Amino acid sequence: MKREEKVMVTGFSGLQDDEVIFRRPIRSGFTLTELLVVIAIVGLLAGLGIPAVNRGLDAAKTAGCANNLKQMGIAVQRFAAEHDGYLIKSWFNQGPNFPNGGNDWDYSPADWAGWDRVVLDTLELGTMGPNGKRVYTEKTASLCRCPADKTKGNVFSNYLVGVGAIPNSYRFNASMQRVGEEKAVKMVSIPSPSKLILVVDGVFKSYHHVRTDDAVDIGKISPSNSNNVATTRHGGAANYLFADGHVERLKWADTWNKSAPGADPSWGLWRQ
């Protein structure tokens, strides 16, 4: 819609005869066509921007997960340095041979002492309880929560005695601990620590480990059985912590690559 406004231009002489009158249109708002064009542009920009924002958020979550695993790697290395070179076990961390041997580590025989609790204790997270044990909440144990894990109520406490709630986004690879023995593994006994997976992006079940020779499906993994690993949590892949402390984002098939330098010819990156 347009309206016209009269504009007076006075000549230099200042006389009325020199006054010139012309009309110019004044806009009072957008036309319908202009409004539709603006809406289309805004929609196009939003369509381009939202996927980019989502990709950025996903990348940040993947990086946050990798940082969690790197901190766990630091805890594993620190634990080994303080315990004659032994790696943390998936559970039974009362001693390197417990329950078939003595409890000469830091936990009582009454504890299951899962790997996640040992990691958190080694990093001195949580608060010290009256019984001398560190106590955790989902917040203080957030290291065990992958930022990309959307599972609600994913908390592990079944095998933890009086230490609170620990998130369960990750699983420990117990393949180096032979079934029925549960003996700890020394770092020096691993031929290629950079080719041995130690902790994985996992799915929540009543156990918190994976194992190539597990007798039950609840922890078993194989090239055709990835039910216990969150194999697509990070853009079609998952994050993996290796025994030497580094983290890689890999697709499931790549973890079974038996031809990779340093990988085991029978078990890929899962066992040596």
Side-chain angles (χ1 to χ4, degrees):
M1 179 177 179
K2 300 180 180 179
R3 63 184 176 83
E4 294 183 336
E5 176 186 44
K6 292 182 179 180
V7 180
M8 306 294 293
V9 179
T10 305
F12 291 107
S13 64
L15 300 177
Q16 189 69 27
D17 295 343
D18 295 333
E19 291 180 347
V20 179
I21 299 176
F22 68 89
R23 301 177 187 278
R24 70 180 183 190
I26 298 178
R27 296 180 183 273
S28 60
F30 289 109
T31 66
L32 178 59
T33 301
E34 290 170 331
L35 184 59
L36 292 175
V37 169
V38 170
I39 292 173
I41 292 173
V42 171
L44 177 62
L45 292 175
L48 294 173
I50 291 175
V53 170
N54 288 337
R55 286 194 296 271
L57 291 174
D58 289 342
K61 291 177 181 178
T62 299
C65 172
N67 183 64
N68 287 350
L69 289 171
K70 288 178 181 177
Q71 293 300 309
M72 292 179 186
I74 291 173
V76 170
Q77 300 296 329
R78 184 180 298 174
F79 182 91
E82 296 172 354
H83 294 83
D84 299 320
Y86 283 106
L87 294 177
I88 293 172
K89 297 194 292 182
S90 55
W91 58 80
F92 294 139
N93 281 288
Q94 294 85 348
N97 299 313
F98 191 88
N100 298 316
N103 57 308
D104 45 358
W105 283 357
D106 308 316
Y107 297 92
S108 73
D111 291 343
W112 284 78
W115 70 271
D116 42 9
R117 174 184 167 188
V118 178
V119 162
L120 296 171
D121 285 354
T122 302
L123 294 175
E124 299 182 350
L125 301 177
T127 57
M128 192 65 71
N131 58 359
K133 300 176 182 178
R134 290 188 176 273
V135 180
Y136 297 96
T137 64
E138 289 190 60
K139 183 176 181 179
T140 58
S142 61
L143 181 73
C144 295
R145 169 77 71 191
C146 171
D149 185 359
K150 299 177 182 179
T151 307
K152 301 299 182 182
N154 184 350
V155 176
F156 196 81
S157 59
N158 304 36
Y159 297 125
L160 305 174
V161 181
V163 295
I166 296 178
N168 184 229
S169 295
Y170 305 102
R171 285 189 166 216
F172 190 89
N173 177 23
S175 299
M176 293 290 287
Q177 297 171 222
R178 301 299 183 250
V179 170
E181 296 181 1
E182 314 303 344
K183 291 183 178 180
V185 176
K186 280 201 171 188
M187 182 71 76
V188 295
S189 69
I190 301 172
S192 300
S194 65
K195 298 296 180 180
L196 177 65
I197 292 170
L198 204 60
V199 180
V200 309
D201 266 313
V203 297
F204 179 66
K205 292 185 180 178
S206 59
Y207 287 7
H208 60 169
H209 75 280
V210 293
R211 201 171 202 158
T212 54
D213 56 356
D214 218 326
V216 292
D217 186 65
I218 204 164
K220 187 176 179 60
I221 54 169
S222 69
S224 60
N225 184 358
S226 62
N227 294 331
N228 298 301
V229 180
T231 57
T232 59
R233 181 175 283 166
H234 300 290
N239 282 334
Y240 298 85
L241 169 68
F242 287 77
D244 69 337
H246 87 278
V247 175
E248 290 187 42
R249 177 176 165 271
L250 297 169
K251 292 186 176 181
W252 180 246
D254 294 335
T255 67
W256 296 93
N257 183 0
K258 302 172 184 179
S259 62
D264 188 273
S266 300
W267 300 100
L269 303 175
W270 292 99
R271 186 166 154 184
Q272 293 181 8

